[in-house]
Amino acid sequence: MALKLNVIFCSTRPSRAGTPVAEWVDRFAREQGAFDVEMVDLAAFDLPLFDEAAHPAQNRYEHAHTKRWSASVAPADAFVFVAPEYDYFAPAAVINAIQCLYHEWTYKPAAVVSYGGVSGGLRSSQTLRGLLGNLNMMAIAQAVPVPFFTTFIGDDGVFNPNEQTVAGTTTMLTELHKWAVALKPMREPQASA
């Protein structure tokens, strides 16, 4: 059985421009074939600012939106966050979504495809990777920045990456799969002696 990869599109803005980037990452990961891939649009969850009474580590969710988000994240073995950069930082919506859960992220690898202007969203990627590491995730080093991303979106609305983006994403997915395989035993229930 193949490992499950969630490609999480992190922008929730009504005017978001990165949808073609997220759709391309989803298609590319499916074509690579190492994972069973699910595209997860964070906007579809309509998560409010963290509103659970209990700490996420207690795994006692009261609200339907948190339970639905947990059910999406928990079965995944790895993640690719496709994130823009807002004010030199990751979007508040994805920070909130990550912090709403705890155990669902533990011992799973994650990568970031960031997009933006001249920096390609690298500062967004760095803030996300720091947060993910704090949740016992393996935020792999192979991030893929896409500078001036709108120049790669055609009149048809399709993202057409350059060869550096394709090569970087190939390497990222290969490394992500290695980590997903290596970390899976850490999530298996341990038999008591």
Side-chain angles (χ1 to χ4, degrees), residues 87-181:
D87 302 319
Y88 311 108
F89 207 80
V94 72
I95 300 297
N96 178 60
I98 292 167
Q99 292 179 331
C100 283
L101 306 177
Y102 183 78
H103 295 288
E104 295 86 344
W105 304 115
T106 303
Y107 302 137
K108 296 178 182 180
V112 180
V113 174
S114 60
Y115 59 92
V118 68
S119 74
L122 277 175
R123 293 163 292 214
S124 173
S125 178
Q126 286 303 105
T127 57
L128 272 176
R129 290 177 70 244
L131 174 59
L132 298 172
N134 291 339
L135 291 168
N136 284 327
M137 294 180 78
M138 178 58 205
I140 69 170
Q142 291 76 17
V144 178
V146 184
F148 302 113
F149 75 101
T150 56
T151 62
F152 300 103
I153 299 173
D155 292 338
D156 58 359
V158 175
F159 179 71
N160 298 294
N162 60 21
E163 63 182 65
Q164 291 88 355
T165 300
V166 170
T169 306
T170 300
T171 300
M172 177 197 73
L173 290 169
T174 300
E175 291 299 310
L176 193 64
H177 187 263
K178 289 177 188 175
W179 279 103
V181 169

Side-chain angles (χ1 to χ4, degrees), residues 5 7 23-38 158-159 161 166 169-170 173:
L5 172 68
V7 174
E23 290 171 343
W24 177 80
V25 173
D26 176 60
R27 278 193 313 275
F28 192 79
R30 289 173 194 275
E31 289 167 7
Q32 190 193 41
F35 290 101
D36 284 336
V37 181
E38 181 177 343
V158 175
F159 179 71
V166 170
T169 306
T170 300
L173 290 169

